Structure formats: structure tokens, C-alpha cells
Amino acid sequence: MSGGSYNYLHTHAGGLEDQRGDIEAMAKCLAGLPYAERVAEATRRVMALLDEAEAAAQELADVWKAVEWWDSGDWDENDVREVIEEYRISSAG
């Protein structure tokens, strides 16, 4: 079997990413309500969390790809070890 054992997780940033525009519109709508300041801010925080999650997922994408390809029989464990070592070095600085 070639790839796909984790549905190509390394290519996806987050589940709500497709709703980013809707979330922004919701935050704007809520911000216009004088009694909804707290929930408007919480909704804007969702956007910030999406940004953080996307950045974290991008940093892990090569590792996820290596594990997925190893688990699918396309790569061996040494390939995974090398990619994880590259991640360790790049994230240490």
C-alpha cells in the first residue's frame, strides 16, 4: 500500500481551516453587538488558535509524512529516524 494510512495528515493544517472566513465574519458580527464583547473576543481567539495550530502542524508535516510513509511500507524506520532528527535540530534553535 502506498501512502494514505493517516489520510495524508501531513497535508492538513486543521479541521476548521475551511471555515476561517465564517469565523472571521462571526467575530465581526459579534463585535457589533454591545452585549457580546466577551464572545467576540473568544471567537477571535479561535482564529489565533487556528494560526498557532497551523504553524505547529507545518513544523510537524515532514515527521507526519515520514511516519505515514513508513507505516504504509514506502519508507523504513531509518527514514523516520532521520526526519525526526532533522526536526529535533531545527526546533532546538
Side-chain angles (χ1 to χ4, degrees), residues 30 33-44:
L30 289 167
L33 300 173
Y35 51 86
E37 182 178 322
R38 185 171 178 198
V39 292
E41 180 57 36
T43 302
R44 286 190 292 271

Side-chain angles (χ1 to χ4, degrees), residues 6 12 15-16 26-27 29-30 32 37 42 44 51 53 57 63 78 82:
Y6 296 94
H12 304 288
L16 290 176
M26 177 64 72
C29 179
L30 289 167
E37 182 178 322
R44 286 190 292 271
D51 292 341
V63 172
N78 287 329
E82 288 176 21

Side-chain angles (χ1 to χ4, degrees), residues 9-11 55-70 75 79-88 90:
L9 179 63
H10 63 279
T11 65
Q58 289 300 320
E59 289 176 7
L60 289 165
D62 289 340
V63 172
W64 292 353
K65 176 182 175 181
V67 171
E68 183 165 354
W69 287 22
W70 169 49
W75 285 13
D79 296 315
V80 174
R81 186 176 290 115
E82 288 176 21
V83 172
I84 289 174
E85 179 62 15
E86 290 170 11
Y87 171 82
R88 187 190 66 74
S90 68

